[in-house]
Amino acid sequence: MIRRYLKIFIITLGLGVSLANCNSLSNSNPLVNTIVEGSEKTILIPKKNDAGVWGYVDATQNWVIEPKYKDAWMFSKGMGVVQVSEDKCGLINTKGEWIIEPNYQSILTFVDAKGQTYFNVEKDNVNTLFDAQGKEIFSSPETVFSSEVLFDEGLYMRTGENGLFGFINSTGKWAISPTYLYGSDFSDGVASVSLDEKTRVIIDHKGDVITRFANDIDYVGVFRNGLAPARKKEKYGYINKKGETVIEFKYLDAKEFNGGIAFAIDNDADLWQCIDTQGNVVFEITSSFIVPMGQGYIQAHKEDKVGIINAKGEVVVPLIYDLILNIEQEHYVKVKLGTEYYYIDLTTGTKY
């Protein structure tokens, strides 16, 4: 069965997914002329004071925006998401001024592969995606989870009113009608989809079928580096866009390739192998499960604790944390240890 891998992109304050109406951004265009000029590359890091209140510091840990928020997330292109109460959050600029008033249950900011900014906001249990000018792109039960796939190659997979999968463009229009039972996002110029419970195919950007798989292949993942994980007779391997087996079906589980490497389990359910595109083992790591994070970092889990390794298998963040959220601004992560949250700079190990 082809399944969509949804990475939990957490700059979020709790994701509700119910359909309703939300159009206040598109009416007022609040993002115009409120971002501080020249602040797009400004790095401000969320930090809690001794009273447990969040503000923002610079790289030398000097306060730039004084602590006054219930929670806060990294700035992106001169904008930062903050929470003022349990179900109220908004967006501020680098002066601490409101770009979007704190009237939303959650706000997620995204920058796609072309550098375009988008916002997923939740209000009254509806999630709506807007562009940087405040124009509504779509509103649906789905929340955008990852900038890594948001309009990657110009398309984004979502569910239609009929409950089937299709692909929209950046204006919210259907580029490929929702006719698929399951599907993956586009990558390497193709997407793998299921026409029904038995028929798996690869399509191009027009929706034309370019490869049809044998019925004994019951799952095909995302193509990266020319390969996709696939499952046949309860074993995973890797195939190319022609449907040919490149790495044999011998794994208990297998992840997509990213940056020329992928992770797969062979015989030991806790021993993950990092492999290259020929199936050669680069290194091994014992972990209950592996979550690629992008930017060359990988989450590793062991005995209910989590840490981060790099593409060489080196430990970047010790496996001692209770929770590690997604990477922000390329190399910062929010972590939880016990009851405390704070940020870590993955390049220096500095804690904020």
Side-chain angles (χ1 to χ4, degrees), residues 54-259:
W54 289 85
Y56 287 88
V57 298
D58 59 21
T60 60
Q61 308 230 25
N62 293 314
W63 290 107
V64 177
I65 299 176
E66 292 297 321
K68 54 185 174 182
Y69 307 110
K70 181 178 177 63
D71 211 339
W73 286 262
M74 289 289 298
F75 268 75
S76 176
K77 299 187 79 169
M79 300 170 285
V81 178
V82 295
Q83 184 183 22
V84 297
S85 65
E86 196 62 41
D87 59 353
K88 297 290 184 182
C89 69
L91 199 66
I92 60 173
N93 63 20
T94 51
K95 293 183 178 180
E97 301 165 336
W98 292 111
I99 297 173
I100 297 177
E101 295 286 338
N103 298 320
Y104 296 91
Q105 291 164 274
S106 70
I107 298 177
L108 290 80
T109 64
F110 301 94
V111 180
D112 71 6
K114 296 181 179 180
Q116 299 300 311
T117 301
Y118 298 89
F119 305 92
N120 188 112
V121 303
E122 181 187 2
K123 185 175 183 180
D124 299 328
N125 295 318
V126 58
N127 292 277
T128 306
L129 186 72
F130 295 92
D131 65 18
Q133 286 69 49
K135 179 182 177 181
E136 181 178 329
I137 297 173
F138 70 82
S139 183
S140 85
E142 296 179 340
T143 300
V144 175
F145 281 89
S146 173
S147 59
E148 194 170 301
V149 297
L150 180 58
F151 303 122
D152 192 18
E153 302 190 1
L155 299 174
Y156 179 69
M157 187 174 72
R158 57 167 297 209
T159 309
E161 293 181 359
N162 58 3
L164 299 177
F165 290 102
F167 298 85
I168 62 171
N169 58 27
S170 58
T171 68
K173 304 295 184 182
W174 289 107
I176 301 175
S177 299
T179 57
Y180 306 113
L181 194 58
Y182 309 103
S184 76
D185 290 290
F186 269 90
S187 184
D188 280 8
V190 298
S192 55
V193 298
S194 286
L195 304 182
D196 53 47
E197 286 287 1
K198 293 184 178 180
T199 310
R200 281 88 198 169
V201 301
I202 297 174
I203 60 172
D204 61 18
H205 285 192
K206 296 179 180 179
D208 295 333
V209 175
I210 62 175
T211 303
R212 190 175 293 263
F213 298 105
N215 288 345
D216 59 354
I217 291 183
D218 60 6
Y219 161 72
V220 180
V222 176
F223 278 87
R224 292 197 180 98
N225 303 128
L227 300 176
R231 186 174 61 215
K232 180 169 63 175
K233 298 179 181 179
E234 303 301 322
K235 291 288 187 178
Y236 288 83
Y238 291 86
I239 58 175
N240 61 22
K241 296 176 188 178
K242 296 179 180 179
E244 301 167 334
T245 299
V246 177
I247 301 174
E248 65 178 297
F249 288 83
K250 63 178 182 178
Y251 301 107
L252 301 180
D253 197 3
K255 305 293 186 183
E256 285 90 6
F257 271 89
N258 197 323

Side-chain angles (χ1 to χ4, degrees), residues 238 247 251 257 260-264 273-277 279-282:
Y238 291 86
I247 301 174
Y251 301 107
F257 271 89
I261 61 172
F263 287 85
Q273 297 179 346
C274 174
I275 59 174
D276 63 20
T277 53
N280 300 314
V281 178
V282 180

